[in-house]
Amino acid sequence: MSQTKLDAIKDSALTQFKAATNTKALYDLKVQFLGKNGSLTEIMKDMASLPKEEKPLFGKKVNEVKSLLEQVYTETEEALKKAEIEGKMASEELDLTLPSYTRMAGNQHPVYKVSEEIFAIMARIGYSVRTGPLIEKDYYNFEALNIPADHPARDMQDTFFIDPTHVLRTHTSPIQIHSLESEKPPLRIVGTGPVFRCDSDISHLPNFHQIEGMCVDRKVSMADLKGTISFFVREFFGPGLKTRFRPSFFPFTEPSAEVDCSCPICKGKGCSLCKQTGWIEIGGCGLINPKVFHNAKIAYPEWQGFAFGFGIERMGIIKYGIDDIRLFPENDVRFVRQFLP
Ligand code: DAH
């Protein structure tokens, strides 16, 4: 009786194992026949009713069926797994020609890049960077720089007033005064940061950036100023560029000059960037006016100095041939991405 039952279990298991179409179904069958509460475990319970001498033989047979089923299970499982993987590979075809998701890397804004280049050049000749407040007292922006109230020189810079005694700084020159007041000469500094003017057209921004060089030492001459600026222009724009100094006026320098460099685009021949003149203005400079030293309580002529101020966007325009200054604050990634570090 038990033998017949055992044979029936064996046959049923083998047929069903072979008919299983996936590994999950096959596993369920394994539980059904070989599991803790499966058919083979059940049939062992029948042993109790068998005559004593038949028990070992029947036990052996049950074990044989068990190993056979386990072996068939393993083989079937392997075959099904292989078929499943092959099926998956056939259905989930990978198209390597599809465009991938692109992730843009960040990069430096041209104002930042030009500033860093300038600082690196100036650092080589002993200059270190300073910043200052963007909202300045009238005193630092004008008065201390020898631009008294009602002085016509104030018309040179269209000022945003915060209140009657505070302005958005119109230039980085107030950094000169902060440095003279808080540090001891000799000094070699480059002040830098944003400046603000009520002015906006194709070549002017209401918010742009400047660098301000200042050197204060025992004996400083116009020759030192010219040598420093010529060195800087060659290092920044490239060798072979000429520097030109035109007499000018700034209240905080005496004598004063405007600095031009030969146009790096046309090399002085004349083009649209330099308006056919072969020269491009980059900023102002001069020997520090004794009145400025006096205002900052620095002994003159014991200490003397020169200073210069350049527009950072302007330098970027010249160096990289950018044709509209308004591109700088627009934050258009197509523009900014052209200035990879
Ligand atoms: N601060 C001036 C401006 O913004 C530029 C300038 C001219 C700065 C002469 C200087 C200088 O330090 O010596 O127009």
Side-chain angles (χ1 to χ4, degrees):
M1 173 61 201
S2 295
Q3 180 62 50
T4 333
K5 216 167 151 190
L6 181 62
D7 289 342
I9 291 172
K10 184 174 99 177
D11 293 344
S12 167
L14 287 176
T15 331
Q16 290 191 56
F17 277 11
K18 291 210 167 108
T21 51
N22 58 61
T23 46
K24 163 87 178 70
L26 182 69
Y27 182 77
D28 290 345
L29 291 172
K30 182 185 181 185
V31 174
Q32 186 187 322
F33 289 103
L34 295 160
K36 229 173 27 189
N37 301 313
S39 321
L40 284 183
T41 316
E42 279 298 310
I43 206 171
M44 290 294 266
K45 288 182 191 156
D46 293 356
M47 283 226 299
S49 57
L50 285 179
K52 204 172 163 229
E53 61 283 3
E54 283 182 29
K55 280 183 186 174
L57 185 65
F58 185 70
K60 198 173 161 231
K61 284 189 171 158
V62 173
N63 280 335
E64 277 168 12
V65 172
K66 204 173 164 197
S67 355
L68 173 70
L69 291 187
E70 271 164 0
Q71 190 198 332
V72 173
Y73 172 80
T74 313
E75 287 165 9
T76 317
E77 190 200 29
E78 227 162 78
L80 282 176
K81 260 191 191 160
K82 204 170 152 211
E84 277 170 8
I85 291 171
E86 275 163 8
K88 221 172 166 193
M89 276 166 64
S91 65
E92 293 177 7
E93 203 180 318
L94 191 62
D95 184 354
L96 294 173
T97 65
L98 278 178
S100 69
Y101 298 106
T102 48
R103 214 172 278 186
M104 272 196 216
N107 75 276
Q108 295 170 349
H109 188 276
V111 167
Y112 180 84
K113 190 175 154 71
V114 169
S115 307
E116 289 291 310
E117 286 175 30
I118 297 171
F119 303 154
I121 294 168
M122 296 308 288
R124 283 163 46 204
I125 49 173
Y127 285 72
S128 55
V129 176
R130 300 287 183 280
T131 54
L134 307 191
I135 296 178
E136 273 293 6
K137 287 198 177 113
D138 185 287
Y139 175 77
Y140 286 98
N141 197 80
F142 294 124
E143 202 90 26
L145 287 161
N146 193 35
I147 315 175
D150 306 322
H151 190 285
R154 287 204 183 190
D155 294 346
M156 287 164 83
Q157 302 180 352
D158 303 287
T159 313
F160 288 113
F161 280 88
I162 300 287
D163 62 34
T165 55
H166 290 88
V167 301
L168 289 182
R169 70 173 179 202
T170 58
H171 52 177
T172 43
S173 301
I175 298 173
Q176 289 186 32
I177 308 296
H178 291 297
S179 172
L180 290 172
E181 282 184 354
S182 61
E183 304 179 66
K184 281 198 170 14
L187 286 169
R188 278 173 177 71
I189 62 147
V190 254
T192 187
V195 300
F196 307 86
R197 292 189 197 175
C198 190
D199 201 356
S200 179
D201 60 42
I202 186 157
S203 51
H204 295 92
L205 292 173
N207 170 9
F208 61 104
H209 299 77
Q210 286 187 332
I211 60 137
E212 185 85 17
M214 180 176 77
C215 165
V216 177
D217 215 321
R218 299 244 173 230
K219 243 186 151 354
V220 176
S221 72
M222 205 63 189
D224 299 317
L225 168 60
K226 290 175 88 172
T228 303
I229 291 181
S230 305
F231 162 80
F232 169 71
V233 165
R234 276 197 311 275
E235 292 297 306
F236 183 78
F237 291 114
L241 279 200
K242 291 204 189 88
T243 317
R244 178 172 85 169
F245 295 80
R246 279 181 292 114
S248 187
F249 171 77
F250 297 103
F252 32 93
T253 44
E254 182 59 37
S256 305
E258 249 152 295
V259 188
D260 299 339
C261 71
S262 52
C263 177
I265 307 297
C266 63
K267 305 276 179 290
K269 285 194 208 79
C271 67
S272 61
L273 185 69
C274 62
K275 302 195 185 81
Q276 311 306 329
T277 62
W279 294 95
I280 299 188
E281 185 188 321
I282 55 173
C285 66
L287 295 185
I288 296 173
N289 192 317
K291 286 188 183 148
V292 172
F293 281 129
H294 173 79
N295 292 340
K297 301 188 173 54
I298 301 284
Y300 175 89
E302 184 186 342
W303 296 104
Q304 310 170 4
F306 67 73
F308 56 90
F310 299 158
I312 293 177
E313 282 84 352
R314 194 134 235 277
M315 314 241 329
I317 283 184
I318 300 169
K319 181 157 180 177
Y320 298 108
I322 300 161
D323 55 8
D324 190 342
I325 198 167
R326 291 171 298 191
L327 287 165
F328 284 90
E330 256 176 16
N331 262 347
D332 185 330
V333 283
R334 291 168 304 179
F335 171 66
V336 176
R337 293 199 80 228
Q338 294 174 47
F339 303 90
L340 292 172

